[in-house]
Amino acid sequence: MDTMRTSLLLVLWAFILQLADTKVFFKRTTDLSLKDGIRRARGNEGVALKRFKRGWMWNHFFLLEEYTGTDYQYVGKLHSDQDKGDGSLKYILSGDGAGSLFLVDENSGDIHATKRLDREEKAFYMLRAQAVNKKTGIPVEPESEFIIKIHDINDNEPKFTKDIYTASVPEMSNVGTSVVQVTALDDDDPTYGNSARVVYSILQGQPYFSVEPHSGIIRTALPNMNRENREKYQVVIQAKDMAGQMGGLSGTTTVSITLTDVNDNPPRFPHGVYQFITPESTEVGFQVGRIKANDSDIGVNAEVAYSIISGDGAEMFEISTDKETQEGVITVKRPLDYERKKLYTLKVQAENTHLDPRFLSLGPFSDLATVKITVEDVDEPPVFERASYIMEVKEDANVGTIIGAVTAVDPDASRSIVKYSIDRRTDMDRVFDIHSGNGSLFILKPLDRETAAWHNITATAKEMNNPLQTSVHVYIRILDINDNAPEFAAFYETFVCENAKTGQRIQTVSAIDKDDPVGGHRFFFNLPENLKTNFTVRDNKDNTAGILTAQNGFNRLESSIYYVPVVITDGEYPMQSSTNTLTVRVCACDREGNMLSCNADTLILPAGLSTGALVAILLCIIILLIIVVFFAALRRQKKKEPLIISKEDVRDNIVSYNDEGGGEEDTQAFDIGTLRNPEAIEDNKLRRDIIPEAFFPSRRTAPNRDNTDVRDFINQRLQENDTDPTAPPYDSLATYAYEGNGSIAESLSSLESATTEGDQDYNYLSEWGPRFKKLADMYGGEDSDRDS
């Protein structure tokens, strides 16, 4: 160790002597010195500049790391040529570690290191030195930098980048195949000596692997290493510095090497023949059995594909590979039938799916086995001819109509009788039923497509002496017929302006229909026939219609609301139609047609009338009232002629009434009109014994349905008149509007209209017998008199 230290000191001394003869350049660090130089150059233009010789005698110091002495380690000496040795100058040190790691003697300039230094922590230090006058403190030389370099010694062992390496190499690899590269690093200085020069060697793992000394690459060392024999290896590698020489430091690491699999083993069946038993009821797709060809490889190299290459069961069975277990799964391909065939034979092949061309010579990589499958007999339930049934029926079909049939047979040799039924859980309302013997489906209740367009029921079949049953789905589609009338798509209520013009559209209406025709809906819009109204309907030909005005102007005082009936007809057969009412209110509008008010009371006293105008209106009303009263008084003074002029006229009297329902006054019968419409009672009733002042044509009102109370009342009044002894001795005509349930009350009398009386031929009355003789003489005599 002392010899090595001595040699290092000699090298250091020679280096310092060489530095003394080398031109050294120093960096000026003060702005003042730079400015002085520039000023001198400018002030002496045309005069050659003189170069001042620097007095510093160094730029590098060298220090050995890991100093173990007790005294401070001497680094070097600072000296300026301005130093005359009289003690007037002092040396100042600054920079990395100045004052702590490195101390300078301000008088002599000697530099010492105070601590033990480690090159791996810091390889060099940058310091600055300066010589100043002790009295004035003015530098005599510009500040200059120098470096203290730490010389390396071999004090660090090589360290691998990983504690444990993991690698793999395919089995059966050739000798020298690269496995993995390991790397060891040495913190010592690689540029100085051999302290960081590492050499690799293998301590454990021979003779299977080797390592390259300088690169650290591990390679295979034996041929035909088989994974199936041994899969994992532990290799220990050593790294030693000083180029592997004696005295060098070393480190080790462990490399875990795994042999990966290659496809070098073919699959092999452990047995040549396999036998399985399955019942004939095994459904298609269900498993019959499993076979497996063993393969020593693993992963994709052990994947096996199974196939049926021959045999009489190739069409009845199929085989597939279970990806997890690599087994061949045999399943049923078609339904089995014990009565048809009881034993099947299959030739099954197993082969690898991933072949390695390097090892084809080790093949063949496939194997064959025989599979025998025996079918067992079972008692099977009936089988329907179809998987499902679809039937159609019109919604107006009668109850009991047969819509179709399902058929099932017993697949066994016994061919037992099959009985049919409906699973009532699928037909809770009992709309359909099935004939238990022949499977025909028929209707139990009326159908309505608008309520349910499809019925999905389940029909079942079972043998007479066997509880097993099978089922089939029956889908029944209800076909549409045109049995619903179109109607308004919504409730429509609109308004019309008082100042509306003819042909002005006030509303657009549309229709809906519950039916669903094949060609789509087509609606026609019209007004009822022979109806005079203030509005018209224009069919837009697109299942909508526009409501238009048919006159100029409307008056809220005359009528504030109109009800417009719109007849909507569909285009299907049989044609359906309905009458829908549109409510139209008369409103006051501005010039643009915007509604202002729909209240008729606002027109009684319009705003802005003067007092004189109001007085004139009142006078006109009073005058009109006086005229009405005057004419009423004149009419009361008219003499009324009795209807019956002679008491000796014994002919049967026929009393004519203006209204066919108005004979109740002479027969003391109750006016039935008051039961229907109490508000329609007329104030003046016509009398039979007074000639009416004017003839009013009869007005036929729409028939109304009478309730039970009205019918009972009329029957009671008829019975009273029939049994009344004080009734007149001549024929009397009493017409009632009720003729029984569901009857439209229409008069059958020929005496309805005076305008048609002269046109009637009454000769047929003489043919009716003695009871109608007087009536025949009365009418026949008048005709004869008229003719004569």
Side-chain angles (χ1 to χ4, degrees), residues 20 106 123 151 187 240 359 395 404 412 471 503 522 528 649 668 722:
E106 65 178 12
H151 268 301
D187 292 336
K240 188 174 183 181
F359 307 104
E395 62 177 321
D412 297 324
S471 60
R522 177 65 180 98
D649 189 359
Q668 289 86 36
D722 292 337

Side-chain angles (χ1 to χ4, degrees), residues 481-486 512-515 517 520-525 543 567-578:
I481 63 169
N482 193 26
D483 59 344
N484 291 278
I512 57 175
D513 194 333
K514 294 180 180 178
D515 294 321
H521 290 292
R522 177 65 180 98
F523 301 128
F524 303 91
F525 300 83
N543 292 339
V567 178
I568 308 176
T569 307
D570 57 22
E572 298 299 316
Y573 178 84
M575 188 175 294
Q576 301 287 342
S577 64
S578 66

Side-chain angles (χ1 to χ4, degrees), residues 652-655 657 663-664 666-668 688 721 727-735:
D652 291 343
N653 296 306
I654 298 177
V655 182
Y657 296 91
E664 290 82 1
D666 295 292
T667 60
Q668 289 86 36
R688 290 182 59 189
N721 279 274
Y730 47 83
D731 293 341
S732 176
L733 179 64
T735 302

Side-chain angles (χ1 to χ4, degrees), residues 52-83:
F52 293 93
K53 182 180 179 182
R54 296 299 307 273
W56 302 109
M57 301 300 295
W58 71 92
N59 70 342
H60 284 82
F61 287 117
F62 294 91
L63 187 63
L64 195 64
E65 70 170 335
E66 303 295 344
Y67 173 71
T68 57
T70 56
D71 298 333
Y72 290 165
Q73 185 178 5
Y74 180 75
V75 178
K77 184 179 182 64
L78 297 177
H79 181 72
S80 173
D81 57 359
Q82 300 295 329
D83 188 359

Side-chain angles (χ1 to χ4, degrees), residues 364-384:
F365 285 82
S366 63
D367 198 10
L368 296 176
T370 301
V371 179
K372 294 184 178 181
I373 302 175
T374 302
V375 180
E376 286 185 339
D377 185 27
V378 295
D379 192 1
E380 302 172 87
V383 178
F384 281 96

Side-chain angles (χ1 to χ4, degrees), residues 328-390:
V329 182
I330 302 174
T331 56
V332 178
K333 185 178 181 181
R334 293 184 180 181
L336 302 175
D337 189 355
Y338 172 82
E339 289 73 21
R340 182 179 300 174
K341 191 173 179 60
K342 304 177 180 60
L343 179 64
Y344 294 92
T345 302
L346 307 176
K347 204 71 168 180
V348 178
Q349 176 181 267
E351 58 180 349
N352 285 135
T353 57
H354 297 81
L355 299 178
D356 194 331
R358 298 175 299 173
F359 307 104
L360 292 179
S361 59
L362 301 178
F365 285 82
S366 63
D367 198 10
L368 296 176
T370 301
V371 179
K372 294 184 178 181
I373 302 175
T374 302
V375 180
E376 286 185 339
D377 185 27
V378 295
D379 192 1
E380 302 172 87
V383 178
F384 281 96
E385 292 182 349
R386 301 181 188 176
S388 63
Y389 292 83
I390 299 178

Side-chain angles (χ1 to χ4, degrees), residues 641-695:
E641 289 184 24
L643 183 62
I644 302 176
I645 300 175
S646 175
K647 295 182 179 180
E648 297 178 357
D649 189 359
V650 294
R651 292 184 305 169
D652 291 343
N653 296 306
I654 298 177
V655 182
S656 298
Y657 296 91
N658 293 335
D659 191 353
E660 292 181 3
E664 290 82 1
E665 181 178 358
D666 295 292
T667 60
Q668 289 86 36
F670 187 82
D671 185 1
I672 196 170
T674 60
L675 295 178
R676 296 196 182 109
N677 189 8
E679 299 178 357
I681 302 176
E682 298 181 3
D683 295 332
N684 298 324
K685 297 291 184 178
L686 298 179
R687 299 180 57 186
R688 290 182 59 189
D689 58 339
I690 302 298
I691 299 175
E693 297 176 356
F695 180 79

Side-chain angles (χ1 to χ4, degrees), residues 231-262:
E231 183 177 6
K232 294 184 179 297
Y233 296 86
Q234 296 290 332
V235 179
V236 178
I237 302 297
Q238 181 189 62
K240 188 174 183 181
D241 61 9
M242 296 300 292
Q245 298 178 5
M246 293 295 293
L249 304 179
S250 64
T252 60
T253 188
T254 301
V255 182
S256 178
I257 300 176
T258 302
L259 295 182
T260 58
D261 184 61
V262 297

